[in-house]
């Protein structure tokens, strides 16, 4: 059985470059932790895939827009696939589920953005697909919204992810770093 793949969700240039909106909460720290998790994954035989959101026309994350590419600072390897989606749940793209099934994996490791949208939706999609889910508690992020700070939203969702049945661990605990 293949080790659980790491899915890097929607960490795209538009979330980091500050052109259309402020960078995502703790952008530099998030980048460092994602790089640490993907390095750990590669060294340990965990496949890595990236998920990219295709926003609607006019959106900074619309296909072909400057904000659409995976954030280059994450260091995606040439052989790591990218799965596109246009809704929150990455499992809406059947190619992702087929890739995971083809690996023979029975679980996934999730990190990325936005905590309260695509990460949460992808967690639900993974659980619905019968996969064990690990969420890297400090390697997903969002923006302040609705009277809550990004750290409050992240903490609230980490609790909800655990209650939903996910294993929730920090990047350091996962990687031994």
């Amino acid at each position: 059985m293949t080790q659980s793949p790491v899915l890097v969700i929607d960490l795209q240039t538009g979330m980091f470059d500050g052109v259309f909106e402020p960078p995502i909460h703790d952008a530099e720290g998030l980048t460092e932790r994602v790089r640490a998790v993907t390095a750990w994954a590669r060294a340990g035989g965990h496949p890595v895939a990236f998920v990219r959101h295709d926003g609607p026309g006019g959106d900074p994350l619309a296909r072909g827009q400057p904000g659409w590419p995976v954030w280059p600072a994450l260091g995606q390897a040439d052989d790591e696939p990218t799965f596109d989606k246009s809704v929150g749940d990455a499992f809406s793209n059947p190619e992702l589920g087929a890739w995971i099934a083809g690996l023979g994996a029975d679980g996934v490791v999730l990190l990325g953005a936005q905590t309260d949208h695509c990460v949460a939706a992808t967690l639900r999609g993974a659980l619905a697909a019968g996969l064990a889910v690990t969420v890297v508690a400090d390697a997903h992020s969002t923006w302040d919204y609705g009277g809550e700070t990004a750290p409050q939203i992240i903490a609230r969702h980490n609790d909800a992810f655990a209650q939903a049945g996910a294993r929730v661990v920090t990047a350091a605990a996962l990687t031994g770093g």
Side-chain angles (χ1 to χ4, degrees), residues 107-138:
V108 292
V109 178
L110 303 181
L111 45 88
Q114 274 181 260
T115 299
D116 41 339
H117 295 286
C118 298
V119 174
T122 298
L123 174 121
R124 289 189 299 273
L127 292 173
L131 296 168
V133 178
T134 297
V135 175
V136 185
D138 56 352

Side-chain angles (χ1 to χ4, degrees), residues 84-125:
D84 293 325
K85 63 176 185 55
S86 59
V87 297
D89 179 8
F91 286 90
S92 65
N93 180 337
E95 293 176 8
L96 174 62
W99 179 75
I100 293 168
L103 295 171
D106 62 359
V108 292
V109 178
L110 303 181
L111 45 88
Q114 274 181 260
T115 299
D116 41 339
H117 295 286
C118 298
V119 174
T122 298
L123 174 121
R124 289 189 299 273

Side-chain angles (χ1 to χ4, degrees), residues 44-104:
H46 294 263
V48 177
F50 288 74
V51 176
R52 181 174 51 208
H53 189 78
D54 290 341
D59 187 278
L61 300 183
R63 181 179 294 272
Q65 293 299 307
W68 181 69
V70 170
W71 182 233
L74 298 177
Q76 181 179 11
D78 290 339
D79 63 347
E80 293 169 344
T82 301
F83 296 95
D84 293 325
K85 63 176 185 55
S86 59
V87 297
D89 179 8
F91 286 90
S92 65
N93 180 337
E95 293 176 8
L96 174 62
W99 179 75
I100 293 168
L103 295 171

